Structure formats: C-alpha cells, structure tokens
Amino acid sequence: MARASTRPRLVLTAEEKSHLDQLRQSKTAPFRDVQRAQILWRYHAGETVSQIARALKTTRKSVLKWIDKTLQIGAKVGMKDTPHQPREAVITDDAKAWVVNLACCKPKQFGYAAELWTRSALARHVRGNAVEAGYPALAHAAKSTVQRILDAQALRPHKVTYYLERRDPNFLSKMKDVLLVYQEVALQNEAALNGAPQPIVITVSVDEKPGVQAIGNTAPDLPPVAGEYPTVGRDHEYIRYGTWSILAALDLHNGHVTARVEERHRSVEFIALLQDLDAYYPPDATIRLILDNHSAHISKETRAYLATRPNRFKYVLTPTHGSWLNIVETLFGKMTRTFLRQIRVKSREELKARILLGIAEINEMPVVHRWKAFEALEATAEAG
C-alpha cells in the first residue's frame, strides 16, 4: 500500500483558480506555462505527484519542483522561473581558438591516415588532447560542441572547394590577346551581316576532347512503353571497347566544324587537322588559330609543316590552365549534351562513325559561338 503524502494540500484563492483554469486550457500560452498550470490544478484537485507525472508525461522531480515552490511563495510567483545570473562560460575563447586551429590543420599532421577531418574524428582528437593542451573543459566535448565552435567561424574542414591556381606568369596578357581577338571577330561578324566580304583573317578555335569512351551494352536496351515504362531500360553492366580523341576546329565566323577522330593527339594527328583546314579555306586567307600550348601544337614536326605554308597559319595561345578561354570548349559541351549523351555502341569503329556523323549534323545547321564577357578586358587594363 502506497504511503500517504505528508506534503500539505494547495490552497488557492478564487482569483488563482480562475487564472490557473484559463492558463491550463490555453492554446496560445507558452507550453511551459500551460504545463505548470496543469500541475498545480491537478495537485489542488487531489491527484498524487505520480499520477500528475504520468498524465503529463514528465518526471516526478519536475512536478515536485513547481508544487513545492508554489506552496512556499504562492501560485502567481511560484509558476515563474527564478531570475539568475548566467554562468561564466566554461569553454573559454582560448579553448575555442585551439579547436579552430586544429580544424584548420590536416589530420595527417597529427599522425592520422585521413586527409580531411570528420566532425567525429576532430571531436575525438579534441577530447584526447584537451587536458595536455591546457583546456580541461574540452576533455568531454561532444561532436555537437565541436560543431558549434566551427559553425561560429563558418568552418567546414570536411569539405573541399576546388580552385585553379594561375601558374602562367603572363596569364593576364595572354588572356587579353585572346579577348581582343574575340572582340575583333564580333566586329567582323557584325559587318558581315551588313554585306561586308569574308575577312582575310579567318579565326578558328582549336582543341581536343580526349578519352571519349566507346561503351557497349551487355543486353539490349528496352524501349519505353506508354503507360507502363516511361524511360529507356538499360542493364547496369557494360563493356569498354576503348577511347577516341576528338580534334576539332570551330570557325568563329560561321560555326563550321572541322574535326578528326583519332586514337591519340600527337604532332601527326594535329598536322592532319591543319591540312584539313588548309584544304577547306581559301588559299589567300590567313587562318588564325586560338589554341593551347600543347606539345603537339609547337613540336618540331608541326613547325616543320608550318614552314611549308608560310603566312598561312597564325597562333594565338591561351594561358596555361586557361582552357575556359577557348570557345571550342562550348562545342565539346554541346556534343556531350547531344549525340554523345548516354551513347552505346558495338565497337570503337561504330563510335568513331557516329561522332563524325554528329559533327556532320552540326555542320548542317551551324551555330556561331560568341564570346560575350569582355569585362575582363577592363580588369587587364587596370592591372596594366
């Protein structure tokens, strides 16, 4: 048999009863105030502490806290939180700075195998070394504690953001040369719309797209079926037949593409592309090539061929790691989004044939690729 409580009953005035009754049924008051009113109302009605705790799904300790406080100083004041001075921070700014410094280092500097911190690994390292480092408050720091410290500094040491370092000391001057060519081409194209003849200097953007994979299916594709299968069905497994490199030259005046599909990108293949360009364009025109500093473009063999065609070709080199300045990259992007997308073949030779077919389709409806962002010219002028 349960022992009878020795705690006195709660005596309420009519005003206090009315206040508690309204508050315990309120839909807009803070939850903590509603819960405290329900505790006091139920205790006044004769329920035991255990019954109240079960009914409100809280602990006996919480129920007793508000009952005892109300018995001491009354319902109105007893329901309020006691004012208190905030505790001085246990984790000091120096301790937080230590954690931030750790996060800005790599785990391998501390003898770990990992390249980057995970939050759990960093928290373990903090706990294991906090006392020795002079920050005992962090000896039991949880992952969430470490995370809050990092969030305050907007640090995410488990993430990588890639950037491209400019290793070419003449990057700005080379970029300026390329952009000035694009600006000249834009003016030439605008004049052509007004009936001007073809320019004597024809500008062509040249580069290669290496490693185009010839991939075959291990089972036939299943076509979509209306009302049943909305997409093409394809087996997860596949066969690799090898790769091709696409060497392409994009005419910046009319969008025509001169291209070759080769196994490699050596001087021999590049010279073959130059010969194709030489045969395609009028013999009295100068072919201005925008291209990178690939070894095949400036090799002894290539220069020997160029010597046989004096004044026919003119190079404009993009900066090192500045392939994004070459407009032909937009052509390769178009190929990837169109006929190369999800392509499946039965051999390398089929892939080559379909690439050439795709280029022929582009030439049937050529699109002039334009450079529009000339703001960088202002930046190079200011840098100069």
Side-chain angles (χ1 to χ4, degrees):
M1 183 175 177
R3 188 176 58 184
S5 174
T6 58
R7 188 171 278 98
R9 294 181 62 84
L10 178 61
V11 178
L12 300 173
T13 65
E15 182 185 353
E16 288 174 335
K17 282 184 182 180
S18 177
H19 174 68
L20 289 179
D21 191 30
Q22 290 179 6
L23 186 56
R24 72 187 182 93
Q25 301 180 69
S26 174
K27 303 295 184 183
T28 57
F31 173 77
R32 64 176 183 273
D33 292 343
V34 173
Q35 186 184 58
R36 293 168 191 175
Q38 290 175 338
I39 290 173
L40 298 182
W41 182 267
R42 287 173 177 271
Y43 184 71
H44 172 71
E47 292 187 26
T48 65
V49 172
S50 297
Q51 289 172 334
I52 297 171
R54 283 195 298 270
L56 300 182
K57 296 181 179 178
T58 185
T59 62
R60 283 176 50 86
K61 183 177 179 181
S62 295
V63 173
L64 288 170
K65 173 182 176 180
W66 300 111
I67 292 174
D68 289 342
K69 191 174 179 184
T70 302
L71 288 171
Q72 294 165 6
I73 57 179
K76 269 196 172 179
V77 181
M79 288 179 57
K80 304 297 182 182
D81 290 309
T82 304
H84 63 280
Q85 293 292 331
R87 289 188 307 169
E88 187 176 341
V90 175
I91 302 176
T92 63
D93 289 342
D94 287 346
K96 294 176 182 178
W98 177 66
V99 174
V100 169
N101 181 65
L102 290 176
C104 292
C105 300
K106 289 192 172 184
K108 63 181 182 180
Q109 295 175 239
F110 301 98
Y112 300 108
E115 181 72 11
L116 302 176
W117 290 112
T118 63
R119 284 166 290 191
S120 297
L122 180 57
R124 279 197 303 272
H125 181 81
V126 167
R127 290 194 296 271
N129 296 271
V131 175
E132 183 181 348
Y135 307 108
L138 291 170
H140 302 287
K143 183 175 74 172
S144 58
T145 302
V146 172
Q147 183 61 44
R148 283 194 295 272
I149 294 172
L150 299 185
D151 284 345
Q153 303 298 324
L155 275 176
R156 303 174 72 190
H158 59 293
K159 296 285 186 180
V160 174
T161 300
Y162 288 92
Y163 73 99
L164 185 60
E165 183 179 353
R166 292 181 179 178
R167 297 184 176 90
D168 192 332
N170 301 315
F171 187 95
L172 290 178
S173 62
K174 290 182 179 179
M175 179 176 71
K176 181 179 179 181
D177 292 341
V178 174
L179 295 183
L180 287 174
V181 170
Y182 289 155
Q183 201 169 56
E184 180 186 337
V185 169
L187 295 173
Q188 290 173 336
N189 291 347
E190 186 177 349
L193 293 176
N194 298 321
Q198 186 180 33
I200 298 174
V201 178
I202 299 172
T203 306
V204 179
S205 180
V206 177
D207 204 354
E208 71 153 347
K209 180 178 178 62
V212 182
Q213 294 193 68
I215 297 177
N217 286 337
T218 56
D221 282 346
L222 303 177
V225 177
E228 292 189 52
Y229 304 107
T231 63
V232 174
R234 176 170 286 173
D235 191 274
H236 287 281
E237 295 186 0
Y238 54 86
I239 304 170
R240 297 181 188 270
Y241 295 114
T243 62
W244 289 107
S245 288
I246 304 174
L247 280 66
L250 174 64
D251 190 314
L252 300 187
H253 303 281
N254 58 24
H256 181 271
V257 179
T258 303
R260 301 183 67 86
V261 181
E262 303 284 1
E263 292 187 2
R264 302 171 67 182
H265 181 199
R266 301 168 298 178
S267 300
V268 174
E269 289 79 19
F270 181 65
I271 291 170
L273 180 65
L274 294 178
Q275 291 171 336
D276 291 344
L277 294 170
D278 186 37
Y280 180 76
Y281 290 106
D284 58 341
T286 298
I287 305 172
R288 179 166 53 186
L289 305 176
I290 297 176
L291 71 175
D292 60 26
N293 204 23
H294 192 282
S295 58
H297 301 162
I298 55 175
S299 67
K300 180 174 66 175
E301 295 81 3
T302 299
R303 285 186 282 113
Y305 167 74
L306 294 173
T308 66
R309 304 291 291 138
N311 301 315
R312 178 61 163 161
F313 296 96
K314 180 181 178 181
Y315 278 15
V316 178
L317 295 177
T318 58
T320 304
H321 299 299
S323 60
W324 52 273
L325 282 167
N326 203 333
I327 292 184
V328 74
E329 297 296 335
T330 63
L331 172 68
F332 293 141
K334 181 177 180 178
M335 292 181 182
T336 301
R337 293 190 306 272
T338 55
F339 63 85
L340 290 179
R341 181 173 173 268
Q342 302 287 2
I343 193 169
R344 290 289 190 267
V345 294
K346 295 181 180 178
S347 65
R348 287 178 73 243
E349 290 68 29
E350 181 187 343
L351 176 61
K352 179 176 181 178
R354 290 177 65 179
I355 291 173
L356 294 174
L357 177 60
I359 293 169
E361 291 172 352
I362 289 174
N363 285 333
E364 288 176 4
M365 294 184 292
V367 175
V368 178
H369 294 243
R370 298 177 176 86
W371 186 275
K372 298 180 181 179
F374 290 107
E375 297 84 359
L377 280 174
E378 300 175 7
T380 56
E382 292 174 2

